[in-house]
Amino acid sequence: MNRRTFFKWLGGLALSGAAMTGYAFGIEPGFMLRVQQYKLTPPGWPADFKLRIAVLTDIHAGEPYMGLGRIERIVETTNALKPDLALLLGDFSTGHRMITRQVPIKDTAAACAGLAAPLGRHAILGNHDWWDDRAAQKRQSGPSLYGDTLKAAGIPVYENDGVRLEHNGRPFWLLGLGDQLAFVRGRGRFTGVDDLDGTLAKVTDDAPIILMIHEPDAFIKVPKRVSLTLAGHTHGGQVRLFGYSPVVPSGYGNRFAYGHVVEDDRHLIVSGGLGCSILPVRFGVPPEIVLIELGG
């Protein structure tokens, strides 16, 4: 390789790197949106019981990446999918400092209240919703500003609680686990508000169960009695190449990083989420609405 060819190659490499960086920091997190679909009939779910579920998680509201207008467009896109049930799996707060303007939780909640589904919209909180609530952190206890605001907007929020719903005359349980990392105790130390046993104790019959959790690590203790567990939090690692995420906010690495996980006939779906935390970067895992079709 002569000198001229070398510098052409080096310049091309630099331009490619700049283009990839621009895409990862600008295009994918700020403009892209996909609908990720799953069709399954997990154990305990009747094969003839069809249910269409839309899942939104990790919105991390804040301009310029996730302004109010974009949240409203995501809600409109979700409504166009005509789900029977709309679920919000937490982390409504920003999650990083690289923003030009905050979007108040009151505005985010009002936008999410526009989700239209016959069985309603239901939510849990994520770690950032607790961490950004200074009063709750000071008390090291609830109530949560984010939870109260969502409820005021007409969105039920579940903390180790649930509800029995019916669709076409068929019952099922929707449960929501409290967050596992709610209170910061020190560097790398957290206390949760999660109570899996207490949550499952809300179930009073043999109808199938759908469980909402924010951090997927809780799945390790979820029993087979639960037909389907839904989680967010990881954002798919935000950077994902060939099915591998170099950095995953989970004690189990890539095991629960993203997608449909099946272990011991137990089913977990981890959404890549919509926003970003720590840094506004995504590569190979664009923001997504998850659409799940159960039964049939």
Side-chain angles (χ1 to χ4, degrees):
M1 182 185 296
N2 61 35
R3 182 184 178 90
R4 184 175 181 179
T5 301
F6 172 75
F7 279 110
K8 281 185 176 180
W9 176 85
L10 191 63
L13 187 64
L15 287 172
S16 296
M20 289 177 65
T21 300
Y23 173 83
F25 276 88
I27 303 301
E28 189 162 308
F31 294 96
M32 295 189 69
L33 178 67
R34 71 179 177 189
V35 177
Q36 180 63 46
Q37 298 188 54
Y38 299 94
K39 295 183 179 181
L40 65 154
T41 304
W45 192 270
D48 62 345
F49 184 8
K50 295 183 179 181
L51 185 69
R52 193 173 172 89
I53 307 169
V55 178
L56 305 181
T57 186
D58 299 279
I59 291 173
H60 290 297
E63 295 182 356
Y65 299 96
M66 192 60 71
L68 184 59
R70 188 177 185 205
I71 297 171
E72 290 171 342
R73 290 191 295 274
I74 289 169
V75 168
E76 290 175 3
T77 301
T78 304
N79 288 343
L81 299 173
K82 298 188 181 304
D84 301 310
L85 179 68
L87 304 181
L88 297 151
L89 303 187
D91 272 6
F92 301 88
S93 66
T94 304
H96 61 85
R97 297 181 180 181
M98 297 177 67
I99 60 170
T100 56
R101 180 180 176 274
Q102 293 278 358
V103 176
I105 180 56
K106 184 177 180 180
D107 294 342
T108 302
C112 290
L115 287 166
L119 297 178
R121 50 267 195 279
H122 309 260
I124 58 174
L125 298 182
N127 55 305
H128 283 282
D129 303 323
W130 285 102
W131 294 355
D132 286 359
D133 187 340
R134 294 183 180 180
Q137 288 298 315
K138 185 176 181 179
R139 293 191 306 268
Q140 293 284 286
S141 68
S144 161
L145 168 64
Y146 284 78
D148 287 349
T149 305
L150 288 163
K151 291 175 186 176
I155 301 173
V157 178
Y158 302 93
E159 184 177 296
N160 307 317
D161 205 351
V163 63
R164 189 178 187 271
L165 299 172
E166 288 191 8
H167 181 57
N168 292 333
R170 307 287 289 272
F172 68 96
W173 288 89
L174 177 66
L175 304 180
L177 184 68
D179 189 72
Q180 302 162 65
L181 304 172
F183 302 118
V184 181
R185 294 292 192 183
R187 187 176 180 83
R189 295 190 299 113
F190 306 94
T191 300
V193 292
D194 54 311
D195 179 1
L196 182 58
D197 290 340
T199 303
L200 295 171
K202 303 292 183 178
V203 176
T204 58
D205 59 26
D206 61 355
I209 300 170
I210 296 171
L211 173 65
M212 299 182 290
I213 61 178
H214 183 66
E215 296 91 0
D217 287 16
F219 181 66
I220 206 78
K221 295 182 179 179
V222 173
K224 292 183 179 180
R225 173 70 179 87
V226 175
S227 292
L228 179 63
T229 302
L230 303 172
H233 182 64
T234 64
H235 307 180
Q238 289 188 194
V239 174
R240 190 167 177 83
L241 302 170
F242 307 109
Y244 176 79
S245 303
V247 179
V248 182
S250 165
Y252 299 95
N254 272 262
R255 181 176 174 181
F256 303 139
Y258 176 75
H260 185 190
V261 179
V262 182
E263 294 187 355
D264 300 323
D265 273 342
R266 299 174 306 121
H267 288 247
L268 166 70
I269 291 177
V270 183
S271 170
L274 291 159
C276 300
S277 64
I278 310 301
L279 287 173
V281 58
R282 278 180 177 264
F283 190 87
V285 55
E288 67 180 28
I289 299 166
V290 170
L291 180 66
I292 301 165
E293 295 183 65
L294 293 179

